[in-house]
Amino acid sequence: MAIVFQRPHALRDTEMHYCPGCTHGIVHRMVAEVIDELGIEGTTIGVSPVGCAYNNYLYFNCDMVQAAHGRAPAVATGIKRVHPDNVVFTYQGDGDLAAIGTAEIVHAANRGEKITTIFINNAIYGMTSGQMAPTTLIGQVTTTSPFGRKPEIEGYPLNVCEMLSTLKGAAYVERVSTHDIKNIRNAKKAIKKAFQVQMAGLGFSIVEVLSTCPTNWGIDPVKALKWVEEKMIPQYPLGNFRGKDLEV
Amino acid sequence: MGEKILMKGNEVIAEAALRAGCRHYFGYPITPQTEIAHYFAKKMPQYGGTFIQAESEVAAMNMVYGAASAGARVMTSSSSPGISLKQEAISYSACAELPAVIVNIVRAGPGLGGILASQCDYFQATKGGGHGDYRMVVLAPSSVQELYELVVEAFNIADRYRTLCMIMGDGMLGQMMEAVEFRDSEDICEADKSWAVTGTGMKRDHNIITSIYIDPEVLEKHNQKLQEKYRKIAENETRVEVYNCDDADIIVAAYGTVARIIKNVIKTAEKEGIRVGLIRPVTLWPFPTAAFEKYAQVPQAFLSVEMSAGQMVEDVRLAVNGKRPVHFLGRTGGMIPTQKEILEKIREILK
């Protein structure tokens, strides 16, 4: 009998803790499939964030390091400089990367640190129960913006890819989404290319993945996918911001 | 031993680290320790090592966390305000049991304070500047030669116990030029680092470096393991210099720069017929309690002399445990206690 579908080897055979309708699981799977396809599980070292994905070190089969909130790019820098021939990636959410960890991500990108960052943007803090993130949309209700985010009080949504794409050290910058099959396929292509850019030693690579948080958005999973398409994408346009034509 | 060279304390720190096999340094400029970074920036390329001027002390210490996770001999250095910024990753590293060396060339505080010599970070270093139940070994050299020897030792202790090791000096020691004699080769502890993240090579299960334990029973067990390790360190690694303490009229407790001044005080006091002893903790943690216990009933009194408003004196009091009065003399703000004022204080106590 031919096997047509199975768990990627780079994902461990264990139950994940994510809420129903959350897209973390899909993104984990894509990262693991890419690791399998590139044959790099044995040389890859991942860095887990603070946030809902804090313990994804239990889910990936490669060596893993858990980092302090926002510091994953600095931790990854330390690892990569010790093992320059290994593949090093960070997996970070929007509070981790775009709030407390802005200095670390900007400077890792600007140094052209040869690491790959998977950046989950779901416009909210998930683990601490639905607070406003830097990426929260204007008008979006969260537990710390209960009347909707107001620019005159809370400022504006932060467009990370646009910002990082101004840096020469950032070799590959792309934003993708998980709201339907077509976009998930594109997302995987981008993740694969980001790893390949690192393996070719071209510099820093990041893939921002628009994701859902039905639990904290307070809507059901199907509506959540719709919300990504209709509300998030206008603020966070999909596509490549840097390194589109890189040969890898 | 090789030839004697005249070198600045800060440069000796970097040279000692290189001799101890440290090939990764991450730091951020701050006076009065930046010569350490200058030295590494120049030398690391020759050794095929890494020097990164990080975007902040926070990032630098997290880079140390990463490099230590990866199994490297790694260090960072800073001065007081910068060390405060490193506390987050210090606590995480302690929990994740990562070996690394941190140098604090202490300057006067609090706040941005001043850039001159001080010992005002004793509490921060020995009582845990970061959050949680953890300890780190704190070594306090009092000469440039000892600075060299203790930096090498710090890397060995760090690797042997999977612990953080801090070298605590001050601006005086860091900026001072003194003769130093390097050994031809260093005795480097070859620790088992099979726990490190290196890539599984598809030959073993994955390694995980983490400091989060959500299950309280598991976390308590981990804490007990850490405490057991700290007990072992206290048993094996306590270092102290006891000088002139037999039949002493008064025993002074002092470390680092201040201990040097006390040795001069001892000579002057002798001419007046006053016998002054010195207990110089070389490890501030573990604190050499046993040395104080041993001499607790010898002198009329103890005197802790510090460049602080009174920090180590608390540990001296605990160690002497009420057997004799414990006095204190301290200067702050970058002021260094003079022989004259120390001697006056001794006369006053013995009156």
Side-chain angles (χ1 to χ4, degrees):
Chain A
M1 209 162 53
I3 294 170
V4 292
F5 190 79
Q6 64 181 340
R7 182 175 46 79
H9 191 271
L11 267 193
R12 291 172 84 85
D13 188 8
T14 181
E15 233 174 80
M16 290 187 186
H17 70 288
Y18 299 115
C19 301
C22 165
T23 45
H24 266 310
I26 294 172
V27 184
H28 284 25
R29 185 182 171 93
M30 289 193 286
V31 171
E33 284 179 355
V34 165
I35 289 172
D36 277 10
E37 286 166 23
L38 296 172
I40 52 172
E41 187 189 311
T43 56
T44 297
I45 300 165
V47 183
S48 309
V50 167
C52 289
Y54 80 95
N55 66 348
N56 68 6
Y57 53 78
L58 297 174
Y59 305 150
F60 289 106
N61 232 344
C62 53
D63 277 357
M64 297 293 292
V65 177
Q66 205 288 325
H69 202 198
R71 317 297 178 218
V75 172
T77 297
I79 298 167
K80 185 72 179 189
R81 296 299 181 114
V82 174
H83 300 305
D85 297 330
N86 286 45
V87 177
V88 179
F89 77 93
T90 73
Y91 188 104
Q92 304 175 257
D94 43 40
D96 190 271
L97 181 143
I100 197 166
T102 41
E104 284 77 10
I105 194 66
V106 166
H107 288 278
N110 195 46
R111 280 192 306 270
E113 213 59 63
K114 293 170 192 69
I115 60 173
T116 299
T117 292
I118 308 299
F119 167 42
I120 306 299
N121 177 1
N122 58 10
I124 205 158
Y125 281 68
M127 195 196 206
T128 45
S129 70
Q131 294 78 18
M132 187 189 68
T135 49
T136 290
L137 303 181
I138 298 298
Q140 187 182 337
V141 172
T142 71
T143 51
T144 51
S145 58
F147 310 109
R149 182 176 191 170
K150 293 186 181 75
E152 63 273 24
I153 297 172
E154 287 110 359
Y156 298 89
L158 194 68
N159 283 47
V160 169
C161 283
E162 286 83 342
M163 185 173 75
L164 293 184
S165 65
T166 64
L167 305 173
K168 277 192 180 158
Y172 182 75
V173 180
E174 182 140 344
R175 183 183 290 124
V176 296
S177 177
T178 49
H179 69 276
D180 61 22
I181 305 290
K182 181 173 155 258
N183 276 283
I184 288 171
R185 285 202 171 132
N186 276 342
K188 189 178 154 190
K189 269 186 217 153
I191 291 170
K192 189 165 186 174
K193 183 144 180 189
F195 275 89
Q196 287 169 321
V197 164
Q198 177 184 170
M199 291 161 74
L202 300 176
F204 176 79
S205 56
I206 180 168
V207 180
E208 176 177 340
V209 187
L210 300 188
S211 302
T212 61
C213 185
T215 300
N216 288 298
W217 291 352
I219 51 180
D220 69 48
V222 176
K223 277 188 192 142
L225 294 170
K226 264 266 172 279
W227 199 81
V228 170
E229 187 182 5
E230 289 169 4
K231 306 280 185 191
M232 284 188 77
I233 291 177
Q235 172 65 41
Y236 301 111
L238 306 184
N240 181 275
F241 294 85
R242 213 175 160 92
K244 190 177 176 153
D245 301 321
L246 282 179
E247 299 275 341
V248 286
Chain B
M1 299 291 266
E3 58 180 333
K4 272 195 175 174
I5 311 169
L6 192 64
M7 265 179 100
K8 203 180 217 189
N10 283 337
E11 295 183 337
V12 166
I13 291 171
E15 178 60 31
L18 289 169
R19 285 169 182 263
C22 170
R23 294 294 177 269
H24 297 273
Y25 171 89
F26 307 95
Y28 188 89
I30 180 170
T31 307
Q33 60 78 48
T34 312
E35 292 86 356
I36 299 173
H38 298 173
Y39 198 88
F40 276 126
K42 221 183 275 175
K43 294 274 182 163
M44 269 306 187
Q46 298 168 25
Y47 287 82
T50 298
F51 166 83
I52 293 185
Q53 181 175 325
E55 59 270 29
S56 67
E57 282 97 347
V58 174
M61 189 60 206
N62 278 283
M63 290 172 189
V64 168
Y65 180 96
S69 298
R73 280 203 149 182
V74 55
M75 78 172 261
T76 186
S77 63
S78 192
S79 180
S80 310
I83 296 291
S84 294
L85 286 169
K86 291 184 196 293
Q87 294 301 334
E88 172 191 62
I90 286 176
S91 170
Y92 281 61
S93 302
C95 188
E97 297 193 87
L98 296 175
V101 173
I102 303 156
V103 175
N104 184 5
I105 299 300
V106 181
R107 55 190 260 178
L112 208 42
I115 59 169
L116 294 183
S118 177
Q119 298 179 325
C120 60
D121 294 351
Y122 179 93
F123 282 156
Q124 187 194 49
T126 62
K127 312 292 178 192
H131 57 281
D133 278 317
Y134 77 91
R135 294 288 192 178
M136 71 180 157
V137 176
V138 183
L139 297 159
S142 77
S143 69
V144 172
Q145 179 68 35
E146 196 180 26
L147 200 48
Y148 152 57
E149 286 160 15
L150 289 183
V151 167
V152 174
E153 198 49 31
F155 279 100
N156 282 338
I157 294 172
D159 273 358
R160 200 174 299 137
Y161 297 95
R162 283 186 68 176
T163 188
L164 293 175
C165 231
M166 177 176 273
I167 297 285
M168 202 154 108
D170 57 54
M172 184 85 158
L173 199 60
Q175 295 294 327
M176 180 169 58
M177 286 186 86
E178 218 171 20
V180 55
E181 197 174 353
F182 292 110
R183 293 177 284 250
D184 296 330
S185 69
E186 301 303 338
D187 201 3
I188 289 173
C189 142
E190 297 291 340
D192 167 36
K193 290 198 175 177
S194 56
W195 48 264
V197 292
T198 55
T200 64
M202 307 303 274
K203 288 181 187 127
R204 56 162 170 80
D205 194 11
H206 69 172
N207 282 344
I208 295 169
I209 302 294
T210 186
S211 75
I212 184 164
Y213 298 89
I214 291 286
D215 181 334
E217 284 178 24
V218 176
L219 180 53
E220 186 174 51
K221 239 182 213 139
H222 184 67
N223 267 307
Q224 286 162 348
K225 181 183 158 206
L226 293 180
Q227 292 303 319
E228 183 50 38
K229 174 170 80 176
Y230 300 145
R231 265 192 292 278
K232 243 182 224 148
I233 293 174
E235 205 177 294
N236 301 332
E237 306 298 340
T238 307
R239 289 162 168 75
V240 61
E241 182 191 359
V242 176
Y243 183 75
N244 214 37
C245 283
D246 297 326
D247 312 316
D249 301 311
I250 185 165
I251 292 178
V252 175
Y255 68 94
T257 296
V258 178
R260 296 169 69 116
I261 302 167
I262 302 303
K263 287 200 176 160
N264 287 328
V265 170
I266 289 171
K267 281 183 209 151
T268 323
E270 237 163 31
K271 288 178 198 153
E272 298 181 20
I274 304 173
R275 197 170 160 86
V276 178
L278 169 66
I279 296 182
R280 175 172 78 92
V282 176
T283 47
L284 302 184
W285 192 89
F287 191 73
T289 305
F292 287 93
E293 281 168 355
K294 186 177 167 193
Y295 290 95
Q297 317 224 38
V298 171
Q300 294 177 39
F302 285 81
L303 169 66
S304 187
V305 183
E306 304 170 41
M307 291 191 286
S308 82
Q311 300 194 15
M312 183 177 73
V313 65
E314 293 189 3
D315 286 332
V316 176
R317 284 199 183 108
L318 283 170
V320 173
N321 200 16
K323 294 198 179 85
R324 289 291 183 274
V326 176
H327 300 266
F328 173 71
L329 172 68
R331 296 296 301 270
T332 67
M335 299 298 292
I336 298 175
T338 62
Q339 287 186 57
K340 190 167 164 260
E341 66 187 309
I342 297 167
L343 202 54
E344 274 166 16
K345 180 81 180 174
I346 288 172
R347 284 192 205 110
E348 182 196 311
I349 293 167
L350 295 178
K351 220 180 336 188

